[in-house]
């Protein structure tokens, strides 16, 4: 099974990469969650059987100050990923 994972360096992403066999882990340089359309495009272009989101905006205090960015990262980007995965039947 080929896995496309958003997130590359966090605790969850690191552990998944250590344990899973065929993972393509995307960092911000490849698919920035601030740009939901980049996430959608990555899912549509990938030859993956599973899409996994292990990335998030987790700086709580900063998120309260920058709600728009936190919303993009934690809501809009995952929505774009899910919609693209659904289009591909994943």
């Amino acid at each position: 099974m080929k896995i496309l994972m958003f997130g590359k360096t966090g605790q969850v992403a690191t552990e998944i990469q250590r344990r899973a066999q065929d993972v393509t882990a995307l960092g911000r340089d490849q698919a920035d969650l601030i740009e939901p359309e980049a996430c959608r495009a990555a899912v549509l272009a990938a030859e993956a059987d599973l899409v996994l989101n292990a990335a998030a905006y987790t700086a709580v205090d900063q998120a309260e100050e920058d709600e728009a960015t936190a919303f993009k990262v934690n809501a809009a980007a995952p929505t774009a990923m899910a919609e693209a995965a659904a289009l591909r039947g994943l």
Side-chain angles (χ1 to χ4, degrees):
M1 174 180 288
K2 294 180 182 180
I3 301 170
L4 174 66
M5 181 172 64
F6 291 85
K8 195 171 188 175
T9 59
Q11 289 179 320
V12 172
T14 300
E15 190 62 21
I16 290 169
Q17 290 174 83
R18 190 175 74 76
R19 293 177 180 243
Q21 300 249 330
D22 196 354
V23 178
T24 300
L26 304 178
R28 284 188 197 120
D29 58 330
Q30 296 155 311
D32 193 338
L33 275 67
I34 293 174
E35 300 293 334
E37 289 305 314
C39 298
R40 181 185 319 274
V43 172
L44 294 174
E47 292 183 21
D49 303 304
L50 173 72
V51 177
L52 179 62
N53 182 21
Y57 196 115
T58 59
V60 176
D61 291 338
Q62 191 174 347
E64 290 175 351
E65 294 175 17
D66 190 0
E67 290 180 25
T69 300
F71 182 84
K72 283 181 185 178
V73 171
N74 290 340
T79 297
M81 293 172 205
E83 291 171 349
L87 284 174
R88 295 205 40 230
L90 304 178

